[in-house]
């Protein structure tokens, strides 16, 4: 994702092609606009209304509109304010952060928020604030998950709607908690590997094998077996040889920033889907979006990050001795 400032024409207009893109983005978020009441008809948002809304945002001193693009496509827009009109408020504000609703669930919101924070941090700012309508429960959950905490409750200046003011320190170097974890590389009879798709507040969308953090008294093999049973419902697997160990940084939903040390074991089983009555709750807690089986070729061409990054090579190297021991024809 790349963010760039919105540049107006000499007449203070938004260029036509860009206004068309922005209108489509705004129109996709009709449910958000229905909550906010900023447009007369949230199901029929017009280009001139979008232009007027952004002009009002940019009329404030120190305001900046940022356009977010991914692979050339406009995926989001953010508006920042260098300083709140209240002189007692020292922090910059995020006045708007909107993602194309057709692209929700792909990590664009988190990435845009992180890039906005990086921009403010580079300018020497030490914290950022924003306000969310109390009726926007999804928005409150999103910002809470990114580490924003409530510091005030007030009504907005425009329409007097009740809002929650959230704040997040822009500390440059957050301490990380060491965490032990273990996973299973589950291979089907054709050698495809089973992976979950995760969305993490720090690192975004990625694919990884079932598994997770170890309890205090667990060995890596014991923890991997327990986690896999909880996340897939498969009770007939046993950990095989160790594929690799590796370490990486991310933000765990309940622990916070961690440096994770993982053992990954190989096991074989039938090709099937996860099953069980408690999977939905477990997956929601861990940020699991979906799952699928991957061939080796698909791993090599994955557009999303894989954990560990060289998974295809590791599996090829693991299976090479097995192939060399097969009897000749």
């Amino acid at each position: 994702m790349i963010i760039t400032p919105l540049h107006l024409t000499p007449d203070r207009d938004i260029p036509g092609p860009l206004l068309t893109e922005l209108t489509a983005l705004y129109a996709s978020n009709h449910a958000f606009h229905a909550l906010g009441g900023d447009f007369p008809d949230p199901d029929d948002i017009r280009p001139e209304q979008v232009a007027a809304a952004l002009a009002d945002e940019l009329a404030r001193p120190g305001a900046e509109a940022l356009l977010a693009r991914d692979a050339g496509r406009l995926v989001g827009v953010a508006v920042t304010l260098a300083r709140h009109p209240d002189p007692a408020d020292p922090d910059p504000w995020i006045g708007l952060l909107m993602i194309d609703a057709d692209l929700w669930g792909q990590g664009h919101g988190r990435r845009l928020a992180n890039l906005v924070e990086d921009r403010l941090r580079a300018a020497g700012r030490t914290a950022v604030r924003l306000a969310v309508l109390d009726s926007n429960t999804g928005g409150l959950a999103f910002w809470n998950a990114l580490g924003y905490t409530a510091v005030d409750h007030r009504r907005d200046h425009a329409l007097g709607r009740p809002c929650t003011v959230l704040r997040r320190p822009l500390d440059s170097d957050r301490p990380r908690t060491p965490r032990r974890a273990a996973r299973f590389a589950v291979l089907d009879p054709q050698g495809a590997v089973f992976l979950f798709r995760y969305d993490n507040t720090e690192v975004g969308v990625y694919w990884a094998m079932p598994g997770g953090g170890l309890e205090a008294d667990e060995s890596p093999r014991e923890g991997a077996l327990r986690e896999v049973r909880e996340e897939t419902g498969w009770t007939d697997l046993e950990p095989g040889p160790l594929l690799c160990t590796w370490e990486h940084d991310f933000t765990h939903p309940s622990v916070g920033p961690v440096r994770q040390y993982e053992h990954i074991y190989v096991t074989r089983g039938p090709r099937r889907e996860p099953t069980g009555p408690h999977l939905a709750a477990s997956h929601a807690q861990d940020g699991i979006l979906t799952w699928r089986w991957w061939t080796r070729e698909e791993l090599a061409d994955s557009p999303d990050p894989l954990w560990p990054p060289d998974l295809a090579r590791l599996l090829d190297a693991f299976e090479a001795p097995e192939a060399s021991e097969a009897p000749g024809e």
Side-chain angles (χ1 to χ4, degrees):
M1 178 182 290
I2 298 173
I3 60 172
T4 57
L6 168 61
H7 295 296
L8 303 178
T9 68
D11 296 328
R12 306 293 295 170
D13 294 327
I14 299 174
L18 176 57
L19 183 56
T20 299
E21 291 182 289
L22 285 165
T23 302
L25 189 152
Y26 271 67
S28 73
N29 285 270
H30 49 84
F32 170 76
H33 300 307
L35 284 175
D38 296 318
F39 292 88
D41 184 353
D43 294 317
D44 184 24
I45 294 177
R46 309 289 180 84
E48 59 271 18
Q49 296 171 334
V50 173
L54 282 169
D56 289 344
E57 296 273 12
L58 294 175
R60 302 174 185 178
E64 185 177 40
L66 301 169
L67 307 175
R69 293 188 180 275
D70 186 56
R73 176 177 177 176
L74 182 69
V75 299
V77 60
V79 176
T80 61
L81 191 65
R83 189 172 296 276
H84 194 272
D86 183 351
D89 184 345
D91 298 326
W93 279 63
I94 298 175
L96 173 72
L97 191 143
M98 185 183 300
I99 300 297
D100 187 326
D102 294 333
L103 302 175
W104 287 359
Q106 300 181 25
H108 294 304
R110 178 208 55 79
R111 284 193 286 273
L112 177 53
N114 284 351
L115 289 172
V116 169
E117 291 169 359
D118 288 344
R119 193 177 180 88
L120 295 172
R121 190 180 292 110
R125 311 309 294 267
T126 58
V128 60
R129 300 190 188 206
L130 53 90
V132 180
L133 294 174
D134 287 351
S135 57
N136 186 3
T137 55
L140 287 168
F142 170 80
W143 292 109
N144 288 156
L146 293 185
Y148 287 72
T149 57
V151 295
D152 195 9
H153 296 276
R154 63 177 70 163
R155 294 187 178 272
D156 73 342
H157 293 292
L159 299 174
R161 299 162 296 187
C163 296
T164 298
V165 177
L166 304 170
R167 184 177 187 268
R168 183 182 186 281
L170 297 178
D171 40 355
S172 59
D173 196 13
R174 294 179 292 173
R176 293 191 176 274
T177 301
R179 185 172 188 257
R180 298 187 308 135
R183 300 184 184 274
F184 271 12
V186 182
L187 304 181
D188 76 0
Q190 285 71 46
V193 64
F194 180 83
L195 301 180
F196 283 124
R197 188 172 191 254
Y198 293 81
D199 187 9
N200 182 260
T201 58
E202 179 179 350
V203 300
V205 172
Y206 65 94
W207 292 85
M209 292 156 280
L214 306 183
E215 303 292 348
D217 58 347
E218 281 184 324
S219 71
R221 288 179 179 271
E222 292 169 339
L225 188 60
R226 175 186 52 78
E227 285 282 340
V228 170
R229 288 176 174 174
E230 291 175 0
E231 294 180 349
T232 66
W234 301 337
T235 60
D236 56 347
L237 299 177
E238 293 294 337
L242 181 68
L243 178 70
C244 70
T245 61
W246 77 302
E247 63 183 71
H248 58 100
D249 294 341
F250 76 111
T251 297
H252 188 272
S254 59
V255 181
V258 301
R259 172 151 295 166
Q260 185 147 295
Y261 302 88
E262 287 189 2
H263 286 66
I264 299 177
Y265 299 95
V266 177
T267 189
R268 298 188 182 273
R271 189 183 186 98
R272 53 189 164 178
E273 299 295 302
T275 184
H278 307 298
L279 288 184
S282 173
H283 291 182
Q285 180 178 353
D286 292 338
I288 295 173
L289 303 177
T290 187
W291 57 77
R292 59 169 285 197
W293 292 89
W294 292 70
T295 67
R296 212 61 48 79
E297 294 76 14
E298 289 169 337
L299 289 176
D301 295 333
S302 171
D304 293 328
L306 302 172
W307 284 10
D310 54 351
L311 179 56
R313 181 191 63 78
L314 288 168
L315 291 174
D316 282 341
F318 172 80
E319 292 188 326
E322 296 184 5
S324 65
E325 293 172 5
E329 298 182 5

